[in-house]
Amino acid sequence: MKKITDRPFVMCLMMTSVDGKILSEKWGSSSKVKSLLTAFEKTHEQIGVGAWIVGRTTMEKDFTNFEPRILKKGHQEIERNDFVAAYTGDSFAIAIDAEAKLGWKKATMQGDHVITILTEKVEDAYLTHLKDIGVSYLFAGNTKVDLKIALKKLHQLFGIEKLMLEGGAHINGSFLNEELIDELHQLILPIADGTIETATLFEVDKSVKRKAATVMKLKQVQQIENDVLWLTYTFN
């Protein structure tokens, strides 16, 4: 593993169909599919990285269940300083939420301390609520999240040395575009999605894409339970 001193070592862990699609809700609910989907959590636990990060859409869909955001009533004026709440342990659930849309009700997610990455345009009433419930927040830009700033702050303020990136497609694409992924763990399930509209592993808007393609080096191939392939790539 290469040495990085100013940010976490970023591993991207994603589960895909053989045609590179990532939205498992499109794959049905048969017992076979449900059995295949367990590969993700099992692999996550096997890798053993306690800090994980996702985009707002993934957090909302898979974890906060589309809870509406909460704005604290009354008049507040909050300086745009990072807030590190009291927490225990060394596991973190981190969300990239530039628009401050996530509805948080508590300071933990599946036992992990919540950290949300915001921009400075967020309302004071939203920040007041986060402080009240003990959710940590970091600012990483005025109107758009700068991932390099976010990663440096996660390293400096929380001591995070390794970070697991787990989607969705646009956040994965943003990390890829900024050359901030150090290792890719792709679980290829024996499923063919076949849909046109379903998101793929990495998606980068053509207006910001920096180069034609990213070349990786295959580090390891494993066939695990239920004919799932676990591919590990490093980035040159």
Side-chain angles (χ1 to χ4, degrees):
M1 187 172 70
K2 64 185 179 182
K3 182 70 172 178
I4 299 173
T5 59
D6 63 344
R7 66 166 177 84
F9 183 91
V10 177
M11 303 177 183
C12 181
L13 171 64
M14 293 295 293
M15 178 175 62
T16 76
S17 62
V18 294
D19 46 344
K21 306 295 186 176
I22 64 172
L23 298 183
S24 59
E25 62 266 26
K26 303 285 187 180
W27 302 338
S29 57
S30 69
S31 58
K32 178 61 176 177
V33 168
K34 289 180 179 179
S35 179
L36 288 170
L37 297 183
T38 63
F40 185 87
E41 288 302 327
K42 289 179 180 178
T43 305
H44 179 103
E45 293 301 318
Q46 184 173 338
I47 295 173
V49 173
W52 53 278
I53 188 168
V54 296
R56 190 265 303 172
T57 300
T58 298
M59 185 64 80
E60 193 171 53
K61 176 174 65 73
D62 295 339
F63 299 99
T64 65
N65 298 315
F66 298 96
E67 288 287 346
R69 67 183 193 150
I70 299 173
L71 302 177
K72 183 71 178 291
K73 293 182 180 179
H75 178 72
Q76 303 92 9
E77 290 186 5
I78 306 265
E79 292 186 8
R80 295 305 184 260
N81 297 323
D82 302 324
F83 173 67
V84 178
Y87 65 91
T88 58
D90 57 0
S91 60
F92 304 94
I94 307 162
I96 301 288
D97 188 17
E99 303 291 332
K101 292 183 177 180
L102 288 168
W104 297 107
K105 287 189 170 181
K106 58 182 182 178
T108 58
M109 174 60 63
Q110 298 182 345
D112 305 327
H113 178 65
V114 172
I115 306 170
T116 186
I117 310 296
L118 305 170
T119 59
E120 294 183 7
K121 65 180 179 179
V122 60
E123 297 97 325
D124 290 337
Y126 187 80
L127 298 177
T128 302
H129 169 68
L130 296 184
K131 280 191 168 184
D132 283 351
I133 64 172
V135 167
S136 294
Y137 58 79
L138 306 177
F139 295 105
N142 293 323
T143 60
K144 183 180 179 181
V145 168
D146 184 319
L147 292 175
K148 292 180 180 178
I149 291 175
L151 291 182
K152 286 181 179 179
K153 288 187 174 185
L154 290 171
H155 184 265
Q156 292 169 357
L157 298 177
F158 295 91
I160 296 173
E161 299 288 342
K162 296 180 183 178
L163 181 63
M164 190 70 76
L165 171 65
E166 298 181 340
H170 293 294
I171 290 297
N172 290 347
S174 295
F175 272 78
L176 182 74
N177 199 44
E178 295 290 332
E179 299 183 327
L180 292 173
I181 302 176
D182 303 296
E183 197 167 86
L184 170 64
H185 296 265
Q186 181 180 4
L187 301 177
I188 303 179
L189 276 57
I191 289 176
D193 184 302
T195 57
I196 297 173
E197 70 280 1
T198 306
T200 56
L201 179 54
F202 297 107
E203 295 188 358
V204 183
D205 190 277
K206 63 181 180 180
S207 65
V208 298
K209 200 170 193 304
R210 294 189 170 186
K211 55 185 179 180
T214 299
V215 177
M216 300 176 289
K217 181 177 179 60
L218 183 63
K219 179 180 178 181
Q220 185 171 265
V221 180
Q222 299 178 68
Q223 181 177 341
I224 59 177
E225 187 179 9
N226 291 324
D227 294 324
V228 175
L229 282 181
W230 178 357
L231 307 182
T232 304
Y233 294 92
T234 57
F235 288 73
N236 298 322

